Amino acid sequence: MCRVVDLHQAVLAKNDRAADTLRAELAARGTTVVNLLSSPGSGKTALLERELVEARDRAVPVAALTADLATENDAERLARSGVPVKQVLTDGLCHLEAGMLAGHLAGWLPTPIRLLFVENVGNLVCPASYDLGEKLRVVLASVTEGEDKPLKYPTAFGLAHLVVVTKTDIAEAVGFDEAAFRANVERVNPGVEVLLTSARREMGVGLLLDRALAAAAGAPVHSPVMAREPHPHTHDHAGDPTDHAHDHTPDHAHDHAGDPTDHAHDHAGDQTDHAHDHTNGTAAMAQPRS
């Protein structure tokens, strides 16, 4: 009997298992992952740098891993905070996956680390579907991106535990309508908290750290309405080991119209990832993952 194979769902199910394993392993070490998602140019790196300095000043042990398609610019900026920072170059891949993250943390993540901030690839499409073993998922949007951003990217905003607005120091200049933005966030993710920040003016700096520490301490985080369920699946191995049936939840649906970056990938064994460990701004090449 021929059955349809949904490779995207199979990849997501595999990623969810890896994410659960990583979450448990890090929890045993006392480490909580904070996954940061945004479009390119949202000001995510600038705000994260301020949060890392705040953590350092409060003597909170933190580390940061930042992912980009190319360049080490973000890691060099974050390393100025004085906390452990690692750069991952994805060689064109538009998102991180749990197995990839686990590979880069192995042998690098210092102990003890209370919070690990993961700055995902700048993209609100692909990363939205991939759990990285985080306890707190944060979606950021700048005031320059438009109030309808949550409606255009409902999966990213709909799965967030926290939403952060950046660059509010120029909100009036660009005509940002805060009430409209909040209303649109509420439409896709009822009840999620929205924080207003400005890294330049240091407005709201420390709030993200506060929320992350609360989550690490066991405080309940927001439960998104469209939170993904596990991917239960059954296997029919008779004569065809690739013939798998999957129970698909609607929360992983993607609209690919006009966005060529929204692809599912299975990179086990064939993706060469480059990682750089930055200490005081100096990069050292780590061995590629085998």
Side-chain angles (χ1 to χ4, degrees):
M1 177 180 177
C2 180
R3 306 175 73 181
V4 176
V5 179
D6 188 333
L7 294 179
H8 191 189
Q9 292 294 329
V11 169
L12 291 174
K14 177 181 177 182
N15 182 82
D16 283 351
R17 293 191 295 270
D20 288 340
T21 298
L22 179 59
R23 189 164 19 245
E25 291 176 350
L26 291 176
R29 296 178 50 165
T31 301
T32 294
V33 174
V34 181
N35 185 8
L36 305 177
L37 291 79
S38 79
S39 300
S42 68
K44 178 168 77 267
T45 305
L47 180 62
L48 179 55
E49 182 181 359
R50 300 294 190 278
E51 296 292 334
L52 296 179
V53 170
E54 179 77 9
R56 182 200 66 197
D57 291 346
R58 293 195 209 173
V60 177
V62 300
L65 181 145
T66 182
D68 273 309
L69 277 66
T71 82
E72 299 175 36
N73 295 347
D74 287 352
E76 290 172 357
R77 290 174 59 188
L78 295 178
R80 294 185 305 206
S81 67
V83 309
V85 174
K86 188 172 190 177
Q87 176 79 58
V88 172
L89 301 182
T90 66
D91 288 338
L93 180 62
C94 60
H95 62 276
L96 287 173
E97 297 177 9
M100 183 191 307
L101 177 60
H104 286 301
L105 295 181
W108 170 74
L109 188 64
T111 301
I113 289 295
R114 187 66 174 136
L115 298 173
L116 171 64
F117 289 94
V118 176
E119 185 180 18
N120 219 314
V121 180
N123 183 341
L124 281 177
V125 182
C126 304
S129 295
Y130 288 85
D131 183 357
L132 298 183
E134 68 263 20
K135 182 73 176 289
L136 190 67
R137 174 178 289 213
V138 183
V139 175
L140 301 92
S142 74
V143 298
T144 61
E145 295 178 67
E147 296 82 1
D148 61 347
K149 198 80 172 190
L151 304 182
K152 290 182 176 180
Y153 298 91
T155 302
F157 283 88
L159 291 174
H161 300 123
L162 180 67
V163 173
V164 175
V165 179
T166 61
K167 304 183 182 181
T168 58
D169 55 300
I170 60 171
E172 183 176 355
V174 300
F176 177 69
D177 188 334
E178 180 188 337
F181 180 84
R182 287 182 179 275
N184 290 333
V185 170
E186 187 70 13
R187 285 179 62 181
V188 299
N189 195 345
V192 69
E193 184 180 15
V194 178
L195 300 179
L196 303 180
T197 67
S198 167
R200 178 179 294 177
R201 298 278 179 83
E202 296 194 351
M203 189 190 97
V205 171
L207 293 178
L208 175 56
L209 179 62
D210 290 340
R211 301 304 187 271
L213 286 172
V221 298
H222 170 71
S223 180
V225 171
M226 55 184 302
R228 290 181 290 109
E229 297 296 329
H231 293 68
H233 54 284
T234 59
H235 302 276
D236 181 3
H237 297 285
D240 187 354
T242 65
D243 188 16
H244 305 306
H246 300 272
D247 178 13
H248 308 306
T249 61
D251 299 314
H252 283 308
H254 298 275
D255 180 2
H256 298 277
D259 195 329
T261 65
D262 189 15
H263 306 300
H265 304 274
D266 188 353
H267 304 281
D270 66 337
Q271 176 68 32
T272 303
D273 300 318
H274 302 292
H276 303 267
D277 182 4
H278 291 254
T279 304
N280 296 325
T282 303
M285 177 72 77
Q287 292 299 318
R289 186 164 55 89
S290 61

